[in-house]
Amino acid sequence: IEVDYVTAHITLSNVTQDSGGYSPLGIWSSNVRLTLEGNNTMLTEDNAIDMRSQASLTIDGPGTLTVGRADKRVSCGIYTSRENVTIDGGVLNIYAQNAAIIGWHDGDSLTVNGGVIRGDVSGDGRRYSGLGVSGNPSGDSIDITINGGTVELTGSNNKIYADSGTVVITGGSVTAGGVTPAPTNGTDPVYAVTVEGIGSGTVDAFQLKKGGVVQDYGAPACTTTDGKLTLYLPEGAYSGTAIVG
């Protein structure tokens, strides 16, 4: 699928694409909304979703998109070059050699408002990160904002890296091997707090309190497979409730 110079709404419903050495979805100078329904798969030796020339992509829906597999990894799950990516819903399972979602130039941005991103990234970590900027010598940066949902990075490239950009976390559960630069909530530094023993599954209800006052912290989409949530919070004592289905 190639989208050039248009505004488009694409729905994937139980679709399997094996594109060999080409990207299954290319987006050039276009604004695309991608809705996921059912179980979808993209296989390629290239980037699964390749974005160029100031394009934008929003992913939503109740479905799943699996990109690559453990024995047939894509290069990057979503590759951007001065583009904007927003995740509002859906489940992304990404098996990549280099990066789950990567930005290559200044001006790239990634916003996660909901949904699930699971990235299993196997590269050596010298040029890429699991989520973020390439780390190439030019020092280009990406702005990453996580307002809710669940991000879970595994493998040898399991870090979030924005170089000289920003990482802002105001919600969600974020599991990664490191975050650079140090994350904030837009104002104050935030620190990883892992909550265990709450069961494995979808988070059906979530509330966080500090000093008895409900906090404006976006709900995670689900726990990790071993029943954990990792929240990023300013210093302080918190209490809360998470109902896992």
Side-chain angles (χ1 to χ4, degrees):
I1 302 172
E2 189 166 310
V3 184
D4 297 328
Y5 300 96
V6 298
T7 296
H9 182 192
I10 300 170
T11 299
L12 296 181
S13 181
N14 297 309
V15 172
T16 297
Q17 297 172 276
D18 191 338
S19 302
Y22 299 92
S23 295
L25 176 58
I27 303 172
W28 294 74
S29 298
S30 297
N31 300 317
V32 174
R33 176 184 168 197
L34 179 64
T35 298
L36 304 177
E37 296 180 355
N39 295 312
N40 304 279
T41 302
M42 289 181 177
L43 300 175
T44 180
E45 298 170 7
D46 201 349
N47 305 316
I49 299 176
D50 195 278
M51 301 176 62
R52 312 275 176 155
S53 302
Q54 297 181 329
S56 68
L57 171 66
T58 299
I59 297 177
D60 61 18
T64 298
L65 174 60
T66 298
V67 172
R69 58 179 188 244
D71 64 341
K72 189 176 183 180
R73 295 174 180 271
V74 300
S75 177
C76 299
I78 301 176
Y79 174 97
T80 70
S81 178
R82 297 190 177 94
E83 279 72 50
N84 302 311
V85 175
T86 302
I87 311 297
D88 285 337
V91 176
L92 303 179
N93 298 313
I94 301 173
Y95 297 89
Q97 176 65 31
N98 295 315
I101 301 176
I102 192 75
W104 196 256
H105 292 290
D106 285 331
D108 290 295
S109 70
L110 169 64
T111 302
V112 182
N113 295 318
V116 180
I117 302 172
R118 296 190 183 101
D120 182 337
V121 186
S122 67
D124 60 17
R126 289 180 294 178
R127 293 186 62 200
Y128 297 92
S129 56
L131 205 70
V133 75
S134 64
N136 61 10
S138 65
D140 291 327
S141 63
I142 183 173
D143 291 322
I144 300 172
T145 302
I146 301 173
N147 299 316
T150 294
V151 175
E152 185 176 357
L153 301 177
T154 58
S156 54
N157 271 13
N158 64 351
K159 295 178 174 59
I160 296 174
Y161 181 65
D163 202 335
S164 58
T166 60
V167 179
V168 175
I169 304 176
T170 65
S173 176
V174 181
T175 304
V179 180
T180 303
T184 73
N185 61 7
T187 304
D188 300 314
V190 291
Y191 306 93
V193 178
T194 299
V195 183
E196 302 184 30
I198 57 176
S200 178
T202 301
V203 177
D204 295 325
F206 177 83
Q207 187 178 80
L208 183 69
K209 292 183 179 182
K210 180 180 181 181
V213 178
V214 175
Q215 301 296 291
D216 186 16
Y217 188 90
C222 65
T223 64
T224 58
T225 54
D226 54 355
K228 297 178 182 178
L229 293 174
T230 300
L231 314 179
Y232 275 77
L233 305 172
E235 290 183 341
Y238 295 85
S239 62
T241 302
I243 299 175
V244 177

